[in-house]
Amino acid sequence: MMNSPTESHTMSVDRLRIPLPRTMDTVCLFGILFLGIAAQVRAEDLVVRRLPVAVQEQTRMLNADYLAAVPVVEKQGTKLPLLVFLHGAGGRGRDIERVKRIARPALAGMERFAGESSLFVAPQATEGTKESPASWLPDDLDRFLAHLKTTLPVDEDRIYVTGNSMGGYGTWVWAAHSPKQFAAAAPVVGGLGKGGPKDITPDLERWAENLATIPVWAFHGANDKVVPADRSERMIKLIQDKGGKSARLTIFPNEGHGASRKVYTSREFFEWLFAQNSAAGIEADKVPSNPQGREDANGTKKKEPQPAVSNGLAPEVTDLNAEDISYQLEHKLPYLAEPFIDVKPADMDDGILVGELGRDGGDRDQILHFVRELAGQARNDKSGNTDSLLISYRGRLLLEAYFRRGRINYPHYQMSITKSYTAMALGRAIQLGHLAMADLNKPAISFLQDVNPATLVEGADQITLHQAMHMSSGIRLNPDKTAQLRRSPGKLKGQSQIQAYLNNSEPIAAAPRAFKYQASDPAITMQVIESVVPGTAEDFIQKELWGRLGVDNYHWQPDISGLPKSAAGSSVRSRDMLKMAQLVLNQGKWNGEQLIPAEFVQRATSPICKAGRQSSYGYFWWTQDYEIAGRTYHCKQGRGAGGQFIFMFPAHDLIAIVTAHNKGMGVMLQALPKKLIPAFVTES
């Protein structure tokens, strides 16, 4: 159960976390609840249906195709509750397949927690026009629902509507327009009224009166920058002012616009929703007791034996705050009591496509054997302390595993992979026209207007971005001098950091120069980013790099200069590391949009110079070839001390993400490819 709500003005606002159970005994639930009535639907049971021509002609902004998951009814005359899901703006159009990915989390939550067989449908809003922007229109949806009532075994006293973002807005609108249609409504990160997302009515008072007649549970993220939480707060207050005793709001303190993942993985939400019945009246607005008894009254998961492979939800850090993310605080995370191993990862509606290990690729037994080795007792503190392993094949996440300090929502400290992210930030600047590819061969100081060239050592004015980004700047600093400079941090702010490097280096030799892995070279790159982009490098990275990938839960330490630290210092979730890897393999494209020039991505991840016996280096990305069973496999990599890795095998569209807390690099750099390749590549 959720914690008791706290009072804020006249509004019931729960700012505490929905508990996320880790396992689900669906076989037991099926046997107890559904046998002899109807078969339970599954996410893969979503099928495309089509509205009759007569209904199509009566609607303005609905695709004729819609999705439905309909259980097989074994008993004549059985009526089933219906959940209608309204997608967000990303689902607009006439390709119904786009809605499948978006709708699956809500359907999966219904499967797990509704407690009975139920109907699930998801319509699609079209893209609209400049004169009539895309939106959910209540009249369209009323006609759609009328069609469902005539074609599906709907219990008309138990019709529920929910939706996310634009779909949350649609939920507010539709339920306010036609409250008698619904037993309950649950808008997620939607809102009405001045400021957004739409000023769709001057008649909010009447709408609030309508919504006061049905149970409403709204959800929002406190950090939502797209639709601020006060949109939901205002609506709930209006409803309560109109006498709505069953209007409630949960605000997640550490979530942004992606708060739906908290909602659609909540047992309490679905138990509340499916307990509502319009025939019983609004007093039915309550959460039923838990018949399976897997949680206590506080929502605490009772101790049960964990399966070797989990069908539950990935472990999280409870009530995660931004200030909880740091290298030091990560060491305080307790080890997981049991490893979490998922061979069919959940669709989190985060832009990552998912599949199933074995069915969609990979030798399931081989991979699970390797994963269980990683989950075992570490041999020493230098290797074996793996925290997460994710495997993606042909664009789909097939395995997601967390051990020890690994959590799905905790950004793991990255060390030197931060350099790789810095390179991608510069690539984004090129894509947006703040730099050109030709600028890579210009002296770096030509972009740094605050650097005084008169005091630089010989040759420093010839260091190009290209050279700095593959660690061949030629800068050589005496360690004692470096320590002396750092004792006066006030003199290293802004471009004074680079001035100090170039004033105190040994003379810079003529190109070509030897590879030297050092912090000065990525620092030059970050300073150039700061100089050429609008605003600050920090804001640019947040908006134009991570923001474009849908990432808002990360941390990036400041350097002594005040800019984001470029040599090490970022903290990123394992799933978001996977997004970066997919961006690389897709040649700079994400969701069909070119975020980084393909030419830049290719150069950044190519072997520009040798960096050891087996490795080469590009623009802060590594490459290495592996000899396995007589064949050579090329691998592009991000590497970080402690055991943080992004492995990419472009020829096979195969990615592995690893985080760990080893002392040193550990053994994964050599061990993982030898385990991974034979499990996915079968070449004669």
Side-chain angles (χ1 to χ4, degrees), residues 60-64 87 92-94 124-128 133-135 166:
R60 293 169 51 203
M61 290 191 181
L62 274 189
N63 185 2
H87 64 73
R92 294 172 299 182
R94 295 190 181 276
Q124 184 178 32
T126 56
E127 291 181 343
S135 184
M166 189 184 93

Side-chain angles (χ1 to χ4, degrees), residues 59-81:
T59 60
R60 293 169 51 203
M61 290 191 181
L62 274 189
N63 185 2
D65 293 334
Y66 65 94
L67 298 174
V70 182
V72 177
V73 178
E74 299 178 359
K75 187 176 180 180
Q76 190 68 27
T78 298
K79 297 292 185 180
L80 302 176

Side-chain angles (χ1 to χ4, degrees), residues 5-14 172 204-205 207-218 232-250 282 285:
T6 58
E7 293 300 319
S8 175
H9 306 293
T10 61
M11 184 172 14
S12 173
V13 180
D14 179 357
W172 282 118
L204 287 180
E205 297 285 332
W207 284 28
E209 289 176 358
N210 290 346
L211 289 164
T213 65
I214 63 172
V216 175
W217 193 351
S232 290
E233 290 176 332
R234 180 184 303 135
M235 283 306 301
I236 293 296
K237 186 176 188 304
L238 275 172
I239 295 168
Q240 291 179 343
D241 288 348
K242 296 299 181 181
K245 297 180 180 179
S246 296
R248 58 197 299 194
L249 171 63
T250 294
I282 203 165
D285 178 26

Side-chain angles (χ1 to χ4, degrees), residues 335-623:
Y335 273 23
L336 293 173
E338 299 285 345
F340 174 88
I341 304 169
D342 197 346
V343 297
K344 190 178 179 183
D347 188 334
M348 305 296 290
D349 194 21
D350 56 0
I352 294 175
L353 300 178
V354 296
E356 183 176 353
L357 183 64
R359 186 193 70 183
D360 296 315
D363 185 309
R364 178 185 168 117
D365 291 339
Q366 285 188 52
I367 292 298
L368 285 180
H369 179 75
F370 176 50
V371 172
R372 288 170 182 139
E373 286 181 352
L374 298 179
Q377 183 71 34
R379 290 175 293 178
N380 53 60
D381 60 2
K382 293 184 178 180
S383 65
N385 292 307
T386 303
D387 294 316
S388 72
L389 172 66
L390 277 62
I391 298 175
S392 170
Y393 181 60
R394 294 180 177 173
R396 292 184 178 273
L397 177 62
L398 304 187
L399 178 121
E400 187 169 24
Y402 296 95
F403 326 96
R404 301 173 183 86
R405 296 176 185 155
R407 306 291 192 276
I408 191 172
N409 69 330
Y410 195 88
H412 195 99
Y413 195 72
Q414 299 289 287
M415 295 299 289
S416 285
I417 298 184
T418 304
K419 299 179 180 70
S420 306
Y421 305 150
T422 299
M424 301 305 271
L426 188 127
R428 180 64 180 151
I430 293 175
Q431 179 68 32
L432 293 175
H434 304 307
L435 286 169
M437 288 295 293
D439 290 332
L440 297 172
N441 294 316
K442 292 181 180 179
I445 67 165
S446 66
F447 304 100
L448 306 179
Q449 301 305 312
D450 294 339
V451 170
N452 180 5
T455 62
L456 306 184
V457 299
E458 182 182 354
D461 59 347
Q462 299 302 308
I463 300 171
T464 66
L465 261 178
H466 167 76
Q467 293 162 353
M469 291 181 69
H470 70 273
M471 297 290 190
S472 300
S473 68
I475 294 173
R476 298 294 184 268
L477 290 167
N478 181 287
D480 292 336
K481 185 62 178 179
T482 301
Q484 179 186 345
L485 291 169
R486 286 188 167 272
R487 286 195 287 270
S488 301
K491 297 180 179 180
L492 298 174
K493 298 300 181 185
Q495 294 179 20
S496 296
Q497 178 192 41
I498 305 305
Q499 185 85 56
Y501 285 148
L502 301 183
N503 284 354
N504 293 280
S505 171
E506 296 176 11
I508 307 299
R513 308 183 189 98
F515 171 88
K516 181 175 174 59
Y517 200 67
Q518 57 187 359
S520 58
D521 294 30
I524 290 173
T525 306
M526 185 64 76
Q527 290 280 0
V528 171
I529 295 172
E530 173 85 4
S531 296
V532 302
V533 302
T536 66
E538 179 182 7
D539 290 342
F540 181 80
I541 289 168
Q542 180 183 25
K543 179 182 177 182
E544 292 296 344
L545 182 62
W546 292 120
R548 288 290 184 165
L549 298 176
V551 177
D552 58 11
N553 181 11
Y554 74 96
H555 183 66
W556 202 311
Q557 293 176 342
D559 200 354
I560 196 169
S561 65
L563 276 62
K565 201 172 180 180
S566 51
S570 64
S571 296
V572 181
R573 294 177 297 192
S574 301
R575 276 195 173 220
D576 297 333
M577 294 170 70
L578 175 60
K579 290 184 180 183
M580 189 63 72
Q582 290 178 337
L583 181 66
V584 170
L585 286 196
N586 290 332
Q587 294 300 302
K589 280 189 176 181
W590 180 257
N591 284 340
E593 181 184 2
Q594 195 76 46
L595 298 185
I596 298 172
E599 180 185 359
F600 179 85
V601 174
Q602 181 60 34
R603 189 183 300 185
T605 58
S606 64
I608 296 174
C609 66
K610 289 295 291 181
R613 287 191 302 118
Q614 298 179 308
S615 301
S616 297
Y617 206 66
Y619 288 167
F620 304 143
W621 289 92
W622 299 82
T623 61

